[in-house]
Amino acid sequence: EDPTIVAISNGLNKKGHDTFTFNFSENTGGFDIEHQVGDVTQIVNHFKDYDELVLLAGSFAALTAAIATIQLPRISRLITLNGFFGQGDVGQQHRRAYIKFRIAALVIRKYRKILNYYKSRLRPDMITVPVLIVHSKVDEYVFIKQSQDFYRQVTSPKHFVELKNANHAITSQKDRQTIVSEIDKWLNTI
């Protein structure tokens, strides 16, 4: 449903790449990364006839996709867009929510479980597949530092694309086209 993901997916499809987009299933715990990794696992298992499965995820879903890439050997590549990787490097709009979550994790079991899950499972150095990281230099929601830190920790073949003027949601059609071109080029060279 996200217009940016739909536009990028359609653009990649026009360039000859099969695409499938989805929303995470509802769960009673609100955002639950372990539940989301389970959703990705079900989708990967569904596409058992495909030799190459590439995960493309933006913002908060980048954290889930990175963990799923580590856990699921059938995933052959990872692409993140303006990725959030669990750090506090976020804009004012989200800083308060991030701080509330971290404080709540000290006293509320379900939040502590979520925090412990991603802190123990997000190990970029354990990713063995090629990784493409795209992040906007001027993203005011999730600062580019998160993707830069993630990139430094990845030891598999990797490539970083810095967008100059894109907002967090990548609402500009020109920026979306740039991303499609960069992804297509990357997919055809690795």
Side-chain angles (χ1 to χ4, degrees):
E1 296 173 5
D2 178 81
T4 296
I5 296 299
V6 170
I8 291 170
S9 181
N10 289 343
L12 291 170
N13 195 270
K14 287 177 184 172
K15 291 194 174 277
H17 304 285
D18 293 332
T19 60
F20 174 80
T21 61
F22 68 94
N23 290 331
F24 293 114
S25 63
E26 295 291 323
N27 67 76
T28 57
F31 71 97
D32 182 335
I33 301 165
E34 187 172 5
H35 184 92
Q36 292 175 352
V37 170
D39 287 349
V40 174
T41 301
Q42 286 184 341
I43 291 165
V44 166
N45 290 339
H46 176 77
F47 288 102
K48 58 183 174 256
D49 294 335
Y50 283 76
D51 293 330
E52 185 172 30
L53 295 175
V54 178
L55 287 185
L56 183 151
S59 195
F60 184 78
L63 175 62
T64 300
I67 293 169
T69 299
I70 295 164
Q71 294 183 359
L72 301 170
R74 291 207 48 241
I75 296 172
S76 54
R77 299 180 198 209
L78 171 65
I79 303 167
T80 67
L81 304 174
N82 290 340
F84 171 81
F85 297 102
Q87 299 173 3
D89 300 304
V90 294
Q92 283 301 116
Q93 318 78 315
H94 297 296
R95 186 171 315 281
R96 184 179 205 150
Y98 179 81
I99 291 169
K100 281 182 173 180
F101 167 75
R102 293 303 295 255
I103 292 170
L106 295 172
V107 294
I108 300 172
R109 185 179 181 278
K110 78 176 181 178
Y111 294 120
R112 186 170 42 254
K113 181 181 175 201
I114 292 167
L115 179 65
N116 290 337
Y117 180 81
Y118 84 72
K119 286 180 89 177
S120 67
R121 298 279 189 340
L122 180 62
R123 299 279 317 278
D125 59 314
M126 294 181 69
I127 296 173
T128 60
V129 301
V131 177
L132 173 63
I133 299 168
V134 179
H135 207 116
S136 175
K137 182 178 178 181
V138 296
D139 186 341
E140 293 180 354
Y141 285 31
V142 178
F143 297 154
I144 193 171
K145 182 180 183 321
Q146 291 215 33
S147 286
Q148 291 167 334
D149 289 347
F150 180 75
Y151 179 82
R152 276 191 286 278
Q153 295 174 53
V154 170
T155 58
S156 62
K158 58 191 176 181
H159 183 64
F160 195 101
V161 173
E162 182 179 296
L163 301 173
K164 302 294 180 215
N165 298 309
N167 60 12
H168 180 73
I170 312 170
T171 54
S172 157
Q173 191 59 29
K174 180 181 176 195
D175 291 326
R176 291 173 180 173
Q177 289 171 348
T178 298
I179 290 169
V180 168
S181 295
E182 289 289 338
I183 292 172
D184 179 58
K185 181 171 61 173
W186 181 75
L187 289 171
N188 289 318
T189 57
I190 298 254

